[in-house]
Amino acid sequence: MKIVVIGGTGLIGSKVVEKLRAHGHEALPASPNSGVNTLTGEGLAEALAGAQVVIDVSNSPSFADDDVMEFFTTSTRNLLAAETEAGVIHHLALSIVGSDGLPNSGYMRAKVAQERLIRDGDVPFTIIHATQFFEFVRGIADQATKDGVITVSTGAVQPIAAEDVATAVARGAVAEPAGDVEIAGPEKFGMDHFVTTALGHFGDERAIIRDPDALYFDTVIDEHSLVPADGAATLYGITLDAWLAQQD
Ligand SMILES: NC(=O)c1ccc[n+]([C@@H]2O[C@H](COP(=O)([O-])OP(=O)(O)OC[C@H]3O[C@@H](n4cnc5c(N)ncnc54)[C@H](OP(=O)(O)O)[C@@H]3O)[C@@H](O)[C@H]2O)c1
């Protein structure tokens, strides 16, 4: 089966391409580096010719509110139109658990807009809502850093390894379109615990302040904002400790 992976050079995309190829599929990584640009439409028709499935694991190069909204809406419109033209029978995109409950975050608003376009479109779809990737922990710390001090939320997270996300995406792409589904890691704890544990392991010596009102990408998060409801998600196995041990 020919499967086009938009964002196939990225963190998740490169692992998805590897897994699909290992299972005998023709996985084509597509991104600006290989002449395919979903924002401008460049190279899309050629890449999608003969494809049955398109996976979208691309990400906006800029997280500024207007840029990220423009990226996910224009890219998704271009992609869905090209898929209809090419006769693609399954569009799979990666989004975030809790995206629709955090309207103060420009990034979440853009992901919700992306999801809406997919649901309202003509191509049968799967939207996998994942929790935060372990690999994203430095990004979380950096956006919470001011004057060298990290002020991090105590709200709950249930992070997942990129390896497990890629497994879920690759499995989802070769299955029937499933609508909206959720995936998460095996353990739930505070974002403060996540950041403190990982940065401690990496020898990052920034001071950390725990604050329930600290902003996470412009929004306050609580015990429920970023984690799936009990029983709602498929849970994957790699723990934070196991992932940290793999980073040495
Ligand atoms: N970070 C998290 O914790 C988290 C949690 C849940 C869901 N997600 C979602 O996961 C997805 C993938 O994230 P990631 O961390 O794997 O991304 P990433 O490593 O930043 O990779 C981004 C990919 O997008 C491609 N891209 C950029 N501009 C493009 C364009 N105009 N046309 C086509 N492709 C373009 C890049 O291609 P080049 O290499 O050619 O530049 C790259 O392959 C995102 O949609 C994100 O919202 C993230």
Side-chain angles (χ1 to χ4, degrees), residues 106-223:
Y107 191 85
M108 294 295 192
R109 288 197 300 275
K111 294 301 286 185
V112 168
Q114 176 192 20
E115 293 168 20
R116 209 171 280 142
L117 286 166
I118 295 167
R119 286 187 207 108
D120 291 348
D122 296 327
V123 184
F125 70 91
T126 302
I127 300 174
I128 297 183
H129 300 253
T131 52
Q132 285 58 53
F133 311 155
F134 291 141
E135 286 78 356
F136 192 47
V137 68
R138 285 192 180 89
I140 293 175
D142 290 347
Q143 61 83 41
T145 300
K146 202 173 166 210
D147 299 329
V149 177
I150 302 171
T151 305
V152 65
S153 171
T154 54
V157 290
Q158 194 167 335
I160 183 168
E163 189 65 31
D164 280 341
V165 175
T167 298
V169 169
R171 282 183 188 157
V174 298
E176 293 295 313
D180 288 84
V181 299
E182 294 188 332
I183 60 170
E187 305 165 310
K188 181 162 79 172
F189 34 65
M191 187 175 277
D192 54 329
H193 172 82
F194 181 30
V195 169
T196 307
T197 306
L199 267 56
H201 185 90
F202 296 140
D204 187 321
E205 291 180 345
R206 276 176 282 182
I208 299 177
I209 297 171
R210 299 170 162 83
D211 178 356
D213 297 322
L215 296 182
Y216 171 70
F217 290 100
D218 301 327
T219 195
V220 173
I221 59 158
D222 64 18
E223 287 310 295

